[in-house]
Amino acid sequence: MERMVTDQQVRKVAADIAYVRSAIRRNMSIMREIGVPPTLALSGLLFGSVLTVLFPVMYILIRSYGSHDAIPLWMRAVWYGFAITLAISAGISKQVGLYRSAKAIDRSYSQWTIAREFIFTSSVSSMILTVTGILAAVIVFLVHIGQPLYIVPATAILFGILMSFFGGNTFVPEYYILGYWFSGAGIAAMFFRLPPLISIAFVVGVGFLLFAFAAMIRRNGDVDANRRMRRKDSR
């Protein structure tokens, strides 16, 4: 004899599932749910690609003309216009990508939800304040002793620590990769005394390329795993 399932039982099961889901979500970082959306990976790829070219170009121009001020005004205007446009575009695309991904998970998520989770939690905000304070002190010290060459490497090392912290806080492995690269490349730039413009291209540009490639590889791996799972279920 088949056992009939009542509407009350169905509603109870649905309520239990909703409760478990909400409990899991409360204990899971929103950024872990979002991960690295495709738009963020693509903006990282674009940002990294342009940085690895843009800053060495300025370095070559300075070496060719003797100083920054000796570079023709129109060349500087084109370079700075391109750099500002790139920075604004990357920032907007990052926010739009995170916002759309958050909305796809839960329509109640907002820009403030993302900012609160990523920046304004007590652990993250305290880490940001700590790193910023240390960085300010380091910059003042390096300028005081006449070694501004090391400002970019020192900044990279500290931001690498911050990105690694984000990785541990969100459980998103791409932030670990970015953090380890920033710190390791910053140390290398310090030892090899790379010029600041070359250091930025090497540390930041290549770092964001690695970030983007890692996100794309992981996403493709997730897609392949889902396909294999669907094939197995269809059998």
Side-chain angles (χ1 to χ4, degrees), residues 28-193:
M28 180 186 290
S29 167
I30 295 172
M31 301 307 295
R32 182 181 182 183
E33 290 187 88
I34 296 173
V36 181
T39 52
L40 184 57
L42 288 174
S43 63
L45 182 63
L46 175 64
F47 190 66
S49 299
V50 175
L51 279 186
T52 54
V53 175
L54 197 63
F55 281 86
V57 165
M58 176 56 76
Y59 176 75
I60 292 171
L61 288 174
I62 292 174
R63 291 290 298 268
S64 300
Y65 287 94
S67 69
H68 175 271
D69 293 338
I71 300 173
L73 181 61
W74 71 269
M75 288 187 180
R76 283 181 282 161
V78 170
W79 191 93
Y80 282 108
F82 199 73
I84 292 170
T85 302
L86 173 66
I88 294 174
S89 300
I92 293 174
S93 63
K94 176 183 75 68
Q95 286 302 116
V96 170
L98 291 175
Y99 180 67
R100 287 180 177 176
S101 298
K103 280 290 186 182
I105 295 171
D106 190 328
R107 296 197 64 81
S108 66
Y109 287 165
S110 63
Q111 291 281 13
W112 168 245
T113 308
I114 298 171
R116 183 181 60 196
E117 174 74 19
F118 198 58
I119 299 175
F120 294 109
T121 60
S122 58
S123 59
V124 174
S125 58
S126 62
M127 185 65 177
I128 291 175
L129 289 174
T130 301
V131 170
T132 304
I134 294 173
L135 179 60
V138 169
I139 290 174
V140 170
F141 174 73
L142 290 174
V143 172
H144 177 71
I145 64 174
Q147 295 292 340
L149 181 68
Y150 294 112
I151 290 177
V152 173
T155 303
I157 293 169
L158 288 171
F159 268 89
I161 295 172
L162 186 60
M163 288 295 105
S164 298
F165 177 81
F166 281 150
N169 193 58
T170 61
F171 297 97
V172 178
E174 288 82 356
Y175 290 115
Y176 280 123
I177 293 172
L178 192 61
Y180 294 155
W181 173 261
F182 274 9
S183 295
I187 293 171
M190 183 179 295
F191 274 102
F192 288 102
R193 297 178 60 86

